[in-house]
Amino acid sequence: MNPALPPLRESAVIVPVYRDAAGELQLVLVRRGERGIHGGQLAFPGGKRDPEDESLLATALREAEEEVGLKPEDIRVLLPLPALSTFTGGFHITPFLASIRRPATWWCQQPEIAEVLEISLRTLADPATHAQEWWQLPGWEQRMLVDYYRVGPYQLWGASYRIIHPLIPRLLAGEWDI
Protein backbone atom coordinates (compact mmCIF):
# COMPACT_ATOMS: atom_id res chain seq x y z
CA MET A 1 0.00 0.00 0.00
CA ASN A 2 1.26 3.45 -0.87
CA PRO A 3 1.68 5.44 2.37
CA ALA A 4 1.04 8.67 0.42
CA LEU A 5 -2.51 7.56 -0.39
CA PRO A 6 -5.24 8.07 2.21
CA PRO A 7 -6.88 4.88 3.51
CA LEU A 8 -9.89 3.68 1.52
CA ARG A 9 -13.29 4.24 3.14
CA GLU A 10 -15.52 1.19 3.57
CA SER A 11 -18.82 1.31 1.71
CA ALA A 12 -21.50 -1.07 0.52
CA VAL A 13 -24.18 -1.12 -2.16
CA ILE A 14 -27.23 -3.14 -3.07
CA VAL A 15 -27.35 -4.34 -6.70
CA PRO A 16 -31.17 -4.52 -7.01
CA VAL A 17 -32.83 -6.64 -9.69
CA TYR A 18 -36.44 -7.68 -10.17
CA ARG A 19 -38.76 -9.13 -12.80
CA ASP A 20 -41.28 -6.73 -14.30
CA ALA A 21 -44.88 -7.66 -15.20
CA ALA A 22 -43.66 -9.15 -18.50
CA GLY A 23 -41.09 -11.31 -16.68
CA GLU A 24 -38.10 -9.27 -17.90
CA LEU A 25 -35.19 -8.67 -15.55
CA GLN A 26 -34.77 -5.04 -14.55
CA LEU A 27 -31.77 -3.44 -12.87
CA VAL A 28 -32.26 -0.48 -10.54
CA LEU A 29 -29.73 2.35 -10.54
CA VAL A 30 -29.65 5.81 -9.07
CA ARG A 31 -28.33 8.96 -10.65
CA ARG A 32 -26.45 10.88 -8.01
CA GLY A 33 -27.25 14.54 -7.45
CA GLU A 34 -24.85 17.05 -8.94
CA ARG A 35 -22.95 17.73 -5.70
CA GLY A 36 -20.09 15.62 -4.41
CA ILE A 37 -17.32 13.56 -5.90
CA HIS A 38 -19.73 11.30 -7.84
CA GLY A 39 -22.10 14.08 -8.89
CA GLY A 40 -24.37 13.13 -11.79
CA GLN A 41 -23.02 9.58 -12.05
CA LEU A 42 -25.05 6.38 -12.23
CA ALA A 43 -24.58 4.11 -9.23
CA PHE A 44 -26.23 1.50 -7.08
CA PRO A 45 -28.06 2.48 -3.88
CA GLY A 46 -25.50 2.52 -1.10
CA GLY A 47 -22.82 4.51 0.60
CA LYS A 48 -20.16 4.69 3.22
CA ARG A 49 -20.27 2.66 6.40
CA ASP A 50 -21.36 4.50 9.53
CA PRO A 51 -19.78 3.57 12.89
CA GLU A 52 -23.13 2.23 14.15
CA ASP A 53 -23.58 -0.17 11.18
CA GLU A 54 -23.16 -3.74 12.46
CA SER A 55 -21.90 -4.96 9.07
CA LEU A 56 -21.41 -3.89 5.48
CA LEU A 57 -24.72 -5.55 4.64
CA ALA A 58 -26.34 -3.35 7.31
CA THR A 59 -24.72 -0.36 5.58
CA ALA A 60 -26.11 -1.35 2.18
CA LEU A 61 -29.62 -1.96 3.55
CA ARG A 62 -29.66 1.30 5.51
CA GLU A 63 -28.45 3.32 2.54
CA ALA A 64 -30.94 1.71 0.12
CA GLU A 65 -33.80 2.67 2.41
CA GLU A 66 -32.47 6.20 3.02
CA GLU A 67 -31.69 6.93 -0.63
CA VAL A 68 -34.63 5.41 -2.53
CA GLY A 69 -37.11 4.09 0.05
CA LEU A 70 -36.28 0.41 -0.60
CA LYS A 71 -37.21 -1.28 2.68
CA PRO A 72 -35.09 -4.16 4.04
CA GLU A 73 -38.13 -6.46 4.06
CA ASP A 74 -38.41 -5.93 0.28
CA ILE A 75 -34.79 -7.01 -0.31
CA ARG A 76 -33.71 -10.64 -0.60
CA VAL A 77 -29.93 -10.76 -0.69
CA LEU A 78 -28.76 -13.43 -3.12
CA LEU A 79 -25.05 -13.17 -2.37
CA PRO A 80 -22.22 -10.80 -1.54
CA LEU A 81 -20.15 -9.97 -4.62
CA PRO A 82 -16.39 -9.46 -4.78
CA ALA A 83 -15.34 -6.19 -3.19
CA LEU A 84 -13.58 -3.59 -5.31
CA SER A 85 -11.81 -0.31 -4.79
CA THR A 86 -12.16 3.08 -6.41
CA PHE A 87 -8.92 4.93 -6.23
CA THR A 88 -10.25 8.21 -7.63
CA GLY A 89 -13.10 8.23 -5.08
CA GLY A 90 -11.19 6.49 -2.29
CA PHE A 91 -13.77 3.78 -1.51
CA HIS A 92 -13.55 0.04 -0.86
CA ILE A 93 -17.00 -1.15 -2.00
CA THR A 94 -18.75 -4.37 -1.01
CA PRO A 95 -21.71 -5.03 -3.34
CA PHE A 96 -24.64 -7.32 -2.53
CA LEU A 97 -26.72 -8.79 -5.36
CA ALA A 98 -30.37 -8.72 -4.33
CA SER A 99 -33.77 -9.65 -5.70
CA ILE A 100 -36.19 -6.92 -4.70
CA ARG A 101 -39.89 -6.28 -4.50
CA ARG A 102 -40.22 -3.01 -6.37
CA PRO A 103 -42.02 -0.30 -4.38
CA ALA A 104 -45.12 1.28 -5.91
CA THR A 105 -43.16 4.52 -6.25
CA TRP A 106 -39.51 5.31 -5.77
CA TRP A 107 -38.46 7.97 -3.32
CA CYS A 108 -35.32 10.04 -3.93
CA GLN A 109 -33.31 11.49 -1.07
CA GLN A 110 -32.73 15.00 -2.40
CA PRO A 111 -30.22 16.43 -3.20
CA GLU A 112 -28.11 13.23 -2.92
CA ILE A 113 -30.23 11.26 -5.44
CA ALA A 114 -31.49 12.99 -8.58
CA GLU A 115 -33.49 10.03 -9.95
CA VAL A 116 -34.05 6.28 -9.92
CA LEU A 117 -33.58 4.41 -13.18
CA GLU A 118 -34.87 0.96 -14.11
CA ILE A 119 -32.96 -0.61 -16.99
CA SER A 120 -33.69 -3.87 -18.76
CA LEU A 121 -30.78 -6.27 -18.43
CA ARG A 122 -31.42 -7.29 -22.05
CA THR A 123 -30.73 -3.68 -23.03
CA LEU A 124 -27.40 -3.73 -21.21
CA ALA A 125 -26.57 -7.09 -22.83
CA ASP A 126 -27.08 -5.60 -26.32
CA PRO A 127 -23.61 -4.94 -27.81
CA ALA A 128 -24.89 -1.63 -29.21
CA THR A 129 -25.26 -0.37 -25.62
CA HIS A 130 -21.60 -1.01 -24.80
CA ALA A 131 -19.01 1.64 -25.64
CA GLN A 132 -15.35 2.35 -25.08
CA GLU A 133 -13.66 5.76 -25.25
CA TRP A 134 -10.48 7.50 -24.20
CA TRP A 135 -11.25 9.85 -21.29
CA GLN A 136 -9.21 12.39 -19.38
CA LEU A 137 -10.92 13.25 -16.10
CA PRO A 138 -9.83 15.67 -13.36
CA GLY A 139 -7.32 13.97 -11.08
CA TRP A 140 -6.23 11.45 -13.71
CA GLU A 141 -2.56 11.65 -14.61
CA GLN A 142 -3.26 10.54 -18.18
CA ARG A 143 -6.04 9.60 -20.55
CA MET A 144 -7.53 6.16 -19.97
CA LEU A 145 -9.58 3.82 -22.10
CA VAL A 146 -12.95 3.57 -20.33
CA ASP A 147 -15.63 0.92 -20.91
CA TYR A 148 -19.22 1.97 -20.26
CA TYR A 149 -22.87 1.29 -21.06
CA ARG A 150 -25.08 3.89 -22.69
CA VAL A 151 -28.16 4.27 -20.50
CA GLY A 152 -30.36 6.84 -22.20
CA PRO A 153 -28.45 10.14 -22.01
CA TYR A 154 -26.13 8.76 -19.30
CA GLN A 155 -23.03 6.61 -19.07
CA LEU A 156 -22.76 3.70 -16.63
CA TRP A 157 -19.03 3.37 -15.96
CA GLY A 158 -16.45 2.99 -13.21
CA ALA A 159 -17.18 0.81 -10.18
CA SER A 160 -20.84 0.34 -11.14
CA TYR A 161 -19.79 -0.92 -14.57
CA ARG A 162 -17.21 -3.23 -13.00
CA ILE A 163 -19.87 -4.65 -10.66
CA ILE A 164 -22.62 -5.29 -13.20
CA HIS A 165 -20.65 -6.23 -16.33
CA PRO A 166 -19.77 -9.81 -15.27
CA LEU A 167 -23.24 -10.35 -13.76
CA ILE A 168 -25.35 -9.62 -16.85
CA PRO A 169 -24.85 -12.96 -18.64
CA ARG A 170 -25.21 -14.86 -15.37
CA LEU A 171 -28.46 -13.09 -14.49
CA LEU A 172 -29.89 -13.58 -17.99
CA ALA A 173 -28.92 -17.27 -17.87
CA GLY A 174 -31.07 -17.64 -14.74
CA GLU A 175 -28.26 -18.48 -12.32
CA TRP A 176 -30.32 -17.04 -9.45
CA ASP A 177 -34.03 -17.26 -8.68
CA ILE A 178 -35.37 -13.74 -9.14
Side-chain angles (χ1 to χ4, degrees), residues 5-154:
L5 295 175
L8 297 175
R9 294 170 286 178
E10 280 191 307
S11 64
V13 298
I14 293 290
V15 180
V17 292
Y18 73 93
R19 289 197 182 274
D20 65 15
E24 291 292 318
L25 282 172
Q26 301 290 323
L27 175 69
V28 178
L29 294 165
V30 297
R31 186 171 62 82
R32 299 271 170 212
E34 294 304 320
R35 297 190 322 200
I37 191 166
H38 299 109
Q41 294 181 14
L42 298 185
F44 294 108
K48 62 184 176 219
R49 185 176 190 170
D50 284 350
E52 61 272 10
D53 291 337
E54 293 180 13
S55 65
L56 287 167
L57 177 57
T59 298
L61 294 172
R62 175 185 54 75
E63 287 279 347
E65 186 169 15
E66 288 175 4
E67 290 184 347
V68 297
L70 189 56
K71 299 193 179 310
E73 58 267 23
D74 292 330
I75 298 171
R76 182 171 51 92
V77 174
L78 301 170
L79 78 155
L81 297 168
L84 66 154
S85 297
T86 64
F87 297 102
T88 54
F91 288 98
H92 186 73
I93 305 167
T94 300
F96 295 89
L97 179 63
S99 174
I100 65 160
R101 183 171 43 241
R102 185 196 181 283
T105 56
W106 292 104
W107 176 82
C108 293
Q109 180 185 31
Q110 297 288 338
E112 187 175 343
I113 305 299
E115 67 181 305
V116 176
L117 303 164
E118 299 169 88
I119 297 109
S120 163
L121 279 174
R122 288 197 191 282
T123 298
L124 291 180
D126 181 344
T129 306
H130 191 265
Q132 194 176 57
E133 293 177 356
W134 286 95
W135 290 3
Q136 174 74 53
L137 295 177
W140 290 10
E141 292 181 17
Q142 60 189 18
R143 288 172 22 118
M144 294 180 65
L145 189 60
V146 175
D147 287 290
Y148 65 92
Y149 293 108
R150 293 182 188 97
V151 177
Y154 310 117

